[in-house]
DNA sequence: CCTGTGACATAAG
DNA sequence: CCTTATGCCACAG
């Protein structure tokens, strides 16, 4: 099982790359923009391969609660949080504060 | 065609 | 907020 370079995954990567600095989005939002609103899980799975990519800010992608559910996929236990905080996004207890304020909707931003 | 798999989403308690 | 259960989707084999 190695999806690696598949159309769907590449689109996920493309969206991830488009996330502006200091902004975050959710797996569901990305999935929705891709036209597969109910395949948010696939987005997460696709992001699993993003670790191999250099230009994909996977730390800007969290679940709908703004919780850093995928932090365990990063090297350090708190690397994801540090990356977000370094961008000016307050994170506490694995959850983004004022998530609505930092939320970036690809469907809205990209039309 | 069927099975397994996921960094999700949602509902119920 | 938590846990548990269910649905859902795309894809590999």
């Amino acid at each position: 099982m190695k999806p690696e370079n598949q159309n769907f995954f590449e689109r996920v990567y493309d969206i991830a790359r488009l996330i502006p600095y200091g902004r975050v989005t959710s797996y569901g939002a990305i999935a929705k923009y891709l036209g597969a609103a109910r395949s948010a899980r696939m987005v997460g799975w696709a992001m699993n391969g993003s670790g191999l990519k250099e230009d994909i800010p996977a730390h800007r992608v969290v679940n709908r609660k703004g919780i850093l559910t995928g932090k365990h996929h990063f090297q350090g236990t708190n690397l994801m949080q540090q990356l977000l905080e370094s961008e000016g996004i307050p994170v506490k207890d694995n959850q983004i504060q004022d998530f609505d304020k930092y939320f970036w909707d690809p469907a809205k931003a990209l039309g």
Side-chain angles (χ1 to χ4, degrees), chain A residues 22-26 62-67 89-90 95-105 108:
Chain A
R23 292 296 206 93
V24 294
T25 190
S26 68
V62 296
N63 73 352
R64 74 178 181 92
K65 297 290 185 182
I67 301 173
I89 301 175
Q95 182 169 6
I96 296 176
Q97 306 300 295
D98 299 322
F99 180 58
D100 297 343
K101 180 177 178 182
Y102 296 99
F103 182 72
W104 178 81
D105 188 353
K108 181 179 179 181

Side-chain angles (χ1 to χ4, degrees), chain A residues 23-77:
Chain A
R23 292 296 206 93
V24 294
T25 190
S26 68
Y27 304 95
I30 295 175
K32 183 178 181 181
Y33 178 76
L34 295 179
R38 301 180 180 93
S39 62
R41 314 176 69 173
M42 292 312 307
V43 177
W45 195 15
M47 294 308 294
N48 189 19
S50 69
L52 306 177
K53 312 285 185 178
E54 301 176 1
D55 55 340
I56 298 183
H59 60 277
R60 294 182 186 146
V61 183
V62 296
N63 73 352
R64 74 178 181 92
K65 297 290 185 182
I67 301 173
L68 284 52
T69 53
K71 66 175 300 182
H72 292 293
H73 292 264
F74 286 78
Q75 294 181 357
T77 51

Side-chain angles (χ1 to χ4, degrees), chain A residues 72-93:
Chain A
H72 292 293
H73 292 264
F74 286 78
Q75 294 181 357
T77 51
N78 60 342
L79 175 61
M80 189 174 186
Q81 178 173 335
Q82 289 181 353
L83 289 172
L84 289 171
E85 288 180 337
S86 69
E87 296 188 1
I89 301 175
V91 179
K92 181 173 183 177
D93 193 23

